[in-house]
Each structure stands twice: as structure tokens, then as C-alpha cells.
Amino acid sequence: LQPRPISNLSSALEASATIKIISFLGTPFSVRSGGHLANPGWVNTGWTNTDTGIVISVNELTQVSHSADKTVASIGPGNWWGAVYEELEPYGVGVLGGRVPNVGVAGLALDRGISYFTNHYSFALDNIKNFQVDLSTGDIVDANLDENVDLFWGLKGGLEISVLPQDST
């Protein structure tokens, strides 16, 4: 199925403007990152009618950077994991991401995300420190442990679980 129209975004400000227009018009929409899932209807705005709504593509949002202390990476949602690994490798750092290089960052991360190190470090999603989110108002906000905490936990699946040490007896 070929969705139409498609809005290709190249910045957070373009995303904000697009969301404002879509919200004002009440237009159905979906968001596409890497497009790894080829299931019919999954990248479209309706299960049976691809002529209504708009698909927002974030495939051009591909920035990759890391903090000076090399403890946090900032990754655009349009990346594929292979490109992320290639960008970070010269700096001697990596991230918990997909096991297949041509999987999109946003979809894998928001759907838990299994990496080669899941058994040791948990899912990719559990290691996300901050989400930058365009709200339906067009406002761009951060969601993390200090700001918009409810949104942060909602994007992580809504669970906050404390891990207790195993009883050694």
C-alpha cells in the first residue's frame, strides 16, 4: 500500500508546524521512521483507506552526537541503527540498539528494542534518558525524569519498577 500524501520533515520546527496544521484540521496521521515493518496498513493512516490522512516521515532527522563525557548519545528518529553505530564507532562508544543495521531507531526504541546486550543492560527503551516530543499544540518539549515525567513514563510503556536484590538464603 502506498500512503499519500507524505510529509518529509527535516527539523523539529517543521515537525511542530506540521503537527499544528494536522491538529487544527483534525487530519488522521501516522509517523514513519525506518519503515522496517512491511505489514499492510501499518505505515498508513487507515486500515482500509490509504487515501485519507497523511504519513509523517522522520527519515531525514538523522543527527547523531554524544556528550563530551561519552555517556549519552543524542540520536535523531530517522536513523537506522547501522548508521548510528558507524557514526559513534570512531569515538569508541556505542548504544543499545537494533541487531539488524537496517532497522529504524524510533520504531525499535519505542517497541522496547532487543539488542545483543539486552540480557545485561535491558531493552533499548529502558536506557533512553530523554525524549524530545512535538505535542499536538505544536510545542516541543523534553520528557525525562525531571520534565514531563508522565509523558516520559508513557513513552516507556508506563511502568516504573524497582528491582530488589535476590535473597541470598
Side-chain angles (χ1 to χ4, degrees), residues 1-121:
L1 299 175
Q2 295 297 316
R4 27 178 219 265
I6 297 176
S7 175
N8 291 307
L9 306 177
S10 60
S11 73
L13 291 177
E14 280 186 13
S16 174
T18 301
I19 293 298
K20 283 180 185 177
I21 293 167
I22 288 171
S23 294
F24 178 77
L25 296 174
T27 304
F29 71 96
S30 65
V31 179
R32 175 174 58 194
S33 175
H36 180 67
L37 288 177
N39 298 336
W42 282 37
V43 78
N44 297 298
T45 57
W47 293 105
T48 59
N49 185 357
T50 61
D51 292 332
T52 60
I54 187 170
V55 173
I56 299 172
S57 172
V58 297
N59 288 344
E60 293 183 28
L61 300 175
T62 58
Q63 73 280 5
V64 177
S65 62
H66 60 79
S67 61
D69 64 0
K70 298 182 181 181
T71 60
V72 176
S74 185
I75 303 169
N79 278 297
W80 288 16
W81 285 108
V84 171
Y85 300 145
E86 287 176 14
E87 185 70 29
L88 294 175
E89 191 214 359
Y91 302 99
V93 296
V95 292
L96 295 174
R99 296 177 291 180
V100 179
N102 64 343
V103 171
V105 166
L108 181 119
L110 288 173
D111 192 25
R112 289 281 173 214
I114 297 174
S115 77
Y116 285 114
F117 303 103
T118 297
N119 289 343
H120 189 71
Y121 295 107

Side-chain angles (χ1 to χ4, degrees), residues 13 31 80 124 136 144 149 152 160:
L13 291 177
V31 179
W80 288 16
S136 62
N144 53 53
V149 177
F152 179 68
E160 179 178 8

